Amino acid sequence: MLNSTKRREDACALQKLSRNETDRSMNFARSAFGVRCALASLFSATIGLVQLGLETEARADEKLFPVSATVVADRPVNECVPTKALGAGVDGHEQGEGARMFTDTNIPEMRSAGLGPLTYRLRTELAGEVWHWNPRGTWSDGSHHCGYWTSDDSIGKPIDVSYGYRLPRRGNTIDQANDDGYSRITDGNEDSFWKSNPYLDSHFTGESDDDAHPQWVVIDLDAAKPVNSIRIHWGTPYAEQYRVEYWIGNDPMHLQVDHADEWRAFPRGVVDHSAGGDRPFRLSEQPISVQFVRIVMKRSSRKTTELSNDIRDRLGFAIREVDIGRIDSNGRFQDYVHHAADRYKQTTAYVSSTDPWHRAEDIDYNIEQPGLDFILTSELTNHLPILVPVGVLYDTPENAVAEIKYLLRRGYDLEGIELGEEPDGQWVSPEDYAALYVGAARRIRGLSPRLKLGGPSLQNFESHLLTWPDASGNGFWMNRFLRYIRARESPFDFFSFEYYPFDNVCDDAAPQLLKIPMRLSAMMASLRQDGVPSEIPWLLTEYGYSVFAGQPEVDIEGALFQADVVGSFLTQGGAKGYLYGYEPNYLVDELKCSWGNLMMLQLNRKSQKLNRLSTYYGARLITKEWMQPRNGPHEIFSVAVDQGDPTALALVTAYAVQRPDKQWSILAINKDPKHPAQLSVRFKFSDTQPPVPFSGKIDIIQFSRQQYLWQDDGPNGRPKQSLPPAYFRRDASSSYRLPPYSLTVLRGTLPSP
């Protein structure tokens, strides 16, 4: 504790001296006591200066690897206002967590990171649930408290918390939230059933082709099995036409480029005149070894046994159970499907869509969304417009419209409206999501022409975002989505996607960090190839090291990752980036190998004090040092980094801005965990003039293991040392030392022309 306090005092003294704030010390030093205190402060500052000098200048006894950075300074590649471009997100969490996170003492600490705009994330959409954004509202079947829900759009008591509702007609075994639900197709209960989304029927889409949105179910048998028969226990409405197919290839749910995989119909798998029922039938004479089986449904019967006049009950397709296996020579049917009302015991099912019908009893108290009024009236918004979501995949357009009506009546300033969340990660076809998007977007745009609508908040992907090819062979998800909405002249005012590049937090972080810019660049390039227009804003609505919790997120790597993503995204033309992990949280060990979490502030179970983590300091270094914390445009310039080997991944990356105060500012990241780098910086304005270095005095701000150390102690892990970035002012030099695993800001002016 004493050593930690001493370092903190030294850092504070040094920062005051460096910023020429010595007047108070001199006035105070007029007394004898003041003289002694001033001398002590000067001594501490001197020690700090020596330490920082060693940190920023090469020592004679160490070996550094040389790197040069050339700023292409003749023209900017992008422009941003950091107070509006660098933001963060708040999300739904488990029961009671919001109350611990959003306290009167925690919110100012969150805001002190310097992040500006806010995005509200929708966890219920990932859980496959309907969002009752307002607990007050109406059911389509009010007498039985069930059916299709629409929240009340009138102004009443402020909404402090809201909940999702599980779907009793759910089809997916797996979800992207708590993953504690299960499919009704393989749950072993004949009274339950899956049903597709009725809003994909031509009755709602307005399409002339009743078969424009065929629905499907995929069953994963977990391993290749000899299959020759199927028994579909149809509900109502059933499919009058359908076909049963098997997959040739590895995994139809996670596609790769240039793999000649495809769905093939079983020899007897095409049915043109079905009357429902549940009789088994042969798919082939001889068993075929398959793992994945798909049922593609067309031409709904539009019948229902429900006692309802609601047309939505008659639209789509319904299946109660599916049995897949073989009929042996004795006529006995062997079923390979495991039927259980348990996500981990049943055979995995994937579906194209799900009916948002539900009941009052389906409320899920395990997931809490912070209330819209609570968030939008809090200081977390920084009095800036907020990006809000509406449910699309598992909701109704009526509920989405009611939400935006409510927010407009409250007078909230909206940055934009994001329709749905991660449809690609939930195996939704681009045309199905596009139809739901168009249905909601048209109605919402009718409320006000000033509203900005967009999406789809794409999940992280490798190389290209793929789906099963259409009849023309087009397998590019985003291209087909854009083609659909453009044909219907639907508003699409911004594009959003997410970036979580590393699935395995158990692996060594050092080689993963080297891939950050390359992978993000590949994603953005592929999206441009798919036709996403550069003229509209691109929003990185979530970014984090991994979707799984692990130590790199709370160790020094978290700050390196954040800086590299922000710099790379803005240099490539991005408009706004939102950090995920804004709320204070606890450590978890999801993969049973590494304790961590996506967070910049750590909650303490035994006190109210928050631990400031590396990402917190990284955010402050970006928002308050690299960029100028004011509402002025910053010009962003590309930087060419040369470390001698053009084939190797860059150990050092650098990003350049010219700030409103006319200073040039370089953000340099050394991703080598053991070796310091010697960085030379030059600014090139034309091919006819030699590059120039910084001149005069420059500011150097550094954050490394000198300031931050993580103590790995399982669930009790915490920062062993947590200090702000070190600040130093010195004469410009031909090169600058970058410590191992460090962030460095070099800020100053150039020689006069």
Side-chain angles (χ1 to χ4, degrees):
M1 178 66 71
L2 179 62
N3 291 336
S4 176
T5 304
K6 181 66 168 60
R7 292 193 188 97
R8 199 171 292 116
E9 290 171 350
D10 290 347
C12 291
L14 175 62
Q15 288 171 351
K16 290 180 181 179
L17 284 172
S18 302
R19 291 174 171 81
N20 297 317
E21 296 178 358
T22 58
D23 291 344
R24 295 180 204 164
S25 298
M26 294 304 294
N27 290 333
F28 182 62
R30 289 170 184 166
S31 67
F33 178 73
V35 170
R36 289 194 297 270
C37 290
L39 288 172
S41 295
L42 285 170
F43 177 76
S44 296
T46 301
I47 296 298
L49 282 168
V50 172
Q51 291 173 339
L52 282 173
L54 292 174
E55 190 66 16
T56 57
E57 294 182 346
R59 296 192 291 268
D61 61 342
E62 70 177 352
K63 184 177 181 180
L64 297 86
F65 64 91
V67 182
S68 65
T70 302
V71 180
V72 183
D74 58 338
R75 54 185 172 81
V77 294
N78 197 6
E79 183 179 282
C80 78
V81 177
T83 53
K84 298 179 180 180
L86 304 178
V90 294
D91 202 353
H93 292 276
E94 296 187 18
Q95 188 175 26
E97 288 187 351
R100 293 192 295 268
M101 294 172 173
F102 302 115
T103 66
D104 291 339
T105 56
N106 289 354
I107 288 177
E109 186 74 351
M110 294 165 64
R111 295 181 64 222
S112 69
L115 299 170
L118 197 69
T119 175
Y120 184 107
R121 314 310 297 157
L122 191 52
R123 188 175 175 88
T124 56
E125 189 87 333
L126 301 184
E129 298 182 350
V130 175
W131 183 31
H132 286 214
W133 57 265
N134 189 344
R136 302 180 300 274
T138 57
W139 296 96
S140 59
D141 185 352
S143 60
H144 296 96
H145 301 285
C146 66
Y148 300 91
W149 171 267
T150 304
S151 286
D152 189 354
D153 60 23
S154 63
I155 296 177
K157 181 181 177 181
I159 305 166
D160 290 330
V161 66
S162 57
Y163 294 94
Y165 283 66
R166 299 181 186 272
L167 297 178
R169 298 175 178 178
R170 169 172 168 153
N172 286 323
T173 295
I174 301 167
D175 68 59
Q176 309 296 322
N178 285 12
D179 199 19
D180 56 1
Y182 60 91
S183 173
R184 301 313 190 266
I185 297 174
T186 57
D187 67 347
N189 183 357
E190 284 283 343
D191 293 329
S192 69
F193 59 92
W194 161 77
K195 184 171 175 290
S196 65
N197 194 324
Y199 287 91
L200 293 172
D201 189 274
S202 60
H203 176 85
F204 288 105
T205 65
E207 293 169 273
S208 57
D209 183 3
D210 286 341
D211 299 332
H213 296 277
Q215 297 297 286
W216 51 261
V217 169
V218 171
I219 304 296
D220 178 3
L221 298 176
D222 196 44
K225 307 282 179 65
V227 172
N228 68 1
S229 300
I230 191 170
R231 177 163 51 210
I232 304 173
H233 303 248
W234 290 103
T236 54
Y238 55 85
E240 293 182 344
Q241 292 183 350
Y242 66 93
R243 66 181 183 271
V244 184
E245 304 170 328
Y246 61 97
W247 180 252
I248 301 296
N250 293 323
D251 185 351
M253 313 315 294
H254 303 90
L255 301 177
Q256 296 181 357
V257 179
D258 299 329
H259 280 223
D261 305 335
E262 63 176 353
W263 290 105
R264 288 184 186 174
F266 281 92
R268 297 182 180 179
V270 178
V271 178
D272 289 326
H273 304 287
S274 171
D278 60 1
R279 295 182 60 184
F281 69 92
R282 280 187 177 271
L283 296 169
S284 61
E285 283 297 326
Q286 299 298 323
I288 301 174
S289 180
V290 299
Q291 177 177 344
F292 295 94
V293 175
R294 183 172 74 162
I295 305 165
V296 182
M297 291 154 276
K298 299 175 68 175
R299 198 68 53 83
S300 170
S301 67
R302 292 194 171 185
K303 297 178 180 178
T304 182
T305 57
E306 303 291 325
L307 300 176
S308 168
N309 292 322
D310 194 322
I311 183 112
R312 291 171 288 192
D313 285 325
R314 301 198 300 273
L315 303 180
F317 307 92
I319 294 178
R320 298 185 181 277
E321 290 286 316
V322 171
D323 308 324
I324 299 173
R326 62 179 297 184
I327 297 176
D328 63 21
S329 57
N330 296 319
R332 292 188 296 260
F333 181 80
Q334 179 184 1
D335 184 14
Y336 299 137
V337 175
H338 298 289
H339 302 268
D342 185 302
R343 176 255 185 273
Y344 296 99
K345 295 180 180 178
Q346 68 177 198
T347 292
T348 300
Y350 304 91
V351 298
S352 51
S353 69
T354 296
D355 189 348
W357 187 99
H358 60 292
R359 307 158 298 189
E361 66 199 67
D362 295 316
I363 188 169
D364 181 6
Y365 286 112
N366 292 328
I367 296 179
E368 292 180 346
Q369 289 285 148
L372 286 169
D373 290 313
F374 175 81
I375 294 297
L376 272 70
T377 58
S378 77
E379 291 298 311
L380 286 172
T381 66
N382 290 308
H383 307 287
L384 293 170
I386 186 171
L387 180 67
V388 298
V390 295
V392 169
L393 302 180
Y394 308 103
D395 219 315
T396 68
E398 293 82 4
N399 198 33
V401 169
E403 177 195 340
I404 304 306
K405 277 186 179 179
Y406 177 85
L407 297 178
L408 294 176
R409 284 175 175 168
R410 283 284 191 186
Y412 295 131
D413 197 1
L414 305 181
E415 169 73 21
I417 301 161
E418 196 172 27
L419 280 71
E421 189 162 336
E422 300 183 26
D424 57 316
Q426 300 178 76
W427 309 287
V428 179
S429 77
E431 288 79 14
D432 285 0
Y433 168 70
L436 297 175
Y437 176 100
V438 169
R442 284 178 173 171
R443 299 192 194 192
I444 293 172
R445 177 56 63 84
L447 300 177
S448 170
R450 296 193 305 269
L451 293 172
K452 302 298 183 183
L453 309 177
S457 188
L458 294 177
Q459 189 173 273
N460 185 79
F461 61 90
E462 289 292 331
S463 182
H464 285 276
L465 180 58
L466 302 175
T467 186
W468 302 320
D470 60 13
S472 67
N474 185 351
F476 297 105
W477 199 99
M478 196 64 197
N479 180 269
R480 284 166 47 182
F481 163 75
L482 290 169
R483 181 181 300 178
Y484 186 101
I485 65 170
R486 285 168 178 163
R488 289 149 185 84
E489 300 181 345
S490 176
F492 188 64
D493 303 310
F494 65 86
F495 165 65
S496 63
F497 69 107
E498 302 175 2
Y499 186 56
Y500 294 96
F502 308 122
D503 287 340
N504 196 344
V505 293
C506 306
D507 288 349
D508 181 12
Q512 293 180 333
L513 291 175
L514 302 182
K515 302 175 183 178
I516 294 169
M518 175 189 67
R519 293 176 67 164
L520 182 56
S521 176
M523 280 184 66
M524 296 179 72
S526 74
L527 291 164
R528 291 189 185 96
Q529 292 173 10
D530 286 347
V532 180
S534 300
E535 297 76 26
I536 63 174
W538 285 39
L539 309 185
L540 187 54
T541 44
E542 292 182 24
Y543 66 89
Y545 191 89
S546 174
V547 295
F548 302 107
Q551 184 172 324
E553 296 155 350
V554 293
D555 209 333
I556 189 71
E557 293 93 343
L560 307 185
F561 172 87
Q562 175 193 24
D564 221 9
V565 170
V566 169
S568 180
F569 176 66
L570 292 177
T571 301
Q572 295 179 65
K576 293 177 184 285
Y578 297 89
L579 172 72
Y580 190 87
Y582 198 35
E583 307 101 329
N585 215 329
Y586 296 111
L587 297 175
V588 292
D589 181 16
E590 288 182 288
L591 300 184
K592 307 306 176 187
C593 68
S594 177
W595 288 84
N597 210 337
L598 287 170
M599 57 186 179
M600 65 175 195
L601 297 165
Q602 182 185 13
L603 290 169
N604 284 292
R605 299 187 184 276
K606 297 181 180 180
S607 74
Q608 299 299 314
K609 182 182 177 182
L610 297 175
N611 293 331
R612 292 180 171 182
L613 305 183
S614 70
T615 308
Y616 171 86
Y617 292 116
R620 285 184 62 90
L621 186 140
I622 293 168
T623 61
K624 297 180 182 296
E625 302 293 353
W626 181 45
M627 293 191 174
Q628 201 173 354
R630 55 178 286 189
N631 292 327
H634 288 58
E635 292 184 327
I636 300 164
F637 295 82
S638 63
V639 182
V641 176
D642 182 4
Q643 63 184 34
D645 184 356
T647 63
L649 294 173
L651 288 166
V652 172
T653 50
Y655 305 98
V657 299
Q658 188 174 32
R659 306 169 5 142
D661 60 8
K662 301 307 178 184
Q663 290 195 93
W664 287 86
S665 186
I666 306 295
L667 174 63
I669 307 161
N670 182 4
K671 293 177 281 189
D672 191 310
K674 297 180 180 180
H675 303 102
Q678 193 73 10
L679 177 69
S680 64
V681 179
R682 298 291 184 271
F683 297 82
K684 182 179 180 181
F685 287 91
S686 73
D687 293 333
T688 60
Q689 296 175 331
V692 296
F694 280 115
S695 67
K697 295 287 186 180
I698 69 165
D699 296 315
I700 301 175
I701 305 96
Q702 285 190 332
F703 184 70
S704 69
R705 286 179 174 144
Q706 293 289 323
Q707 289 74 44
Y708 187 85
L709 290 173
W710 179 257
Q711 177 67 53
D712 182 14
D713 189 18
N716 302 311
R718 61 204 176 278
K720 185 177 180 180
Q721 179 166 279
S722 178
L723 299 175
Y727 179 93
F728 185 59
R729 186 167 177 81
R730 54 167 282 188
D731 291 330
S733 173
S734 60
S735 63
Y736 307 90
R737 180 182 182 274
L738 309 182
Y741 260 9
S742 65
L743 302 178
T744 299
V745 169
L746 305 172
R747 192 176 65 226
T749 58
L750 305 183
S752 299

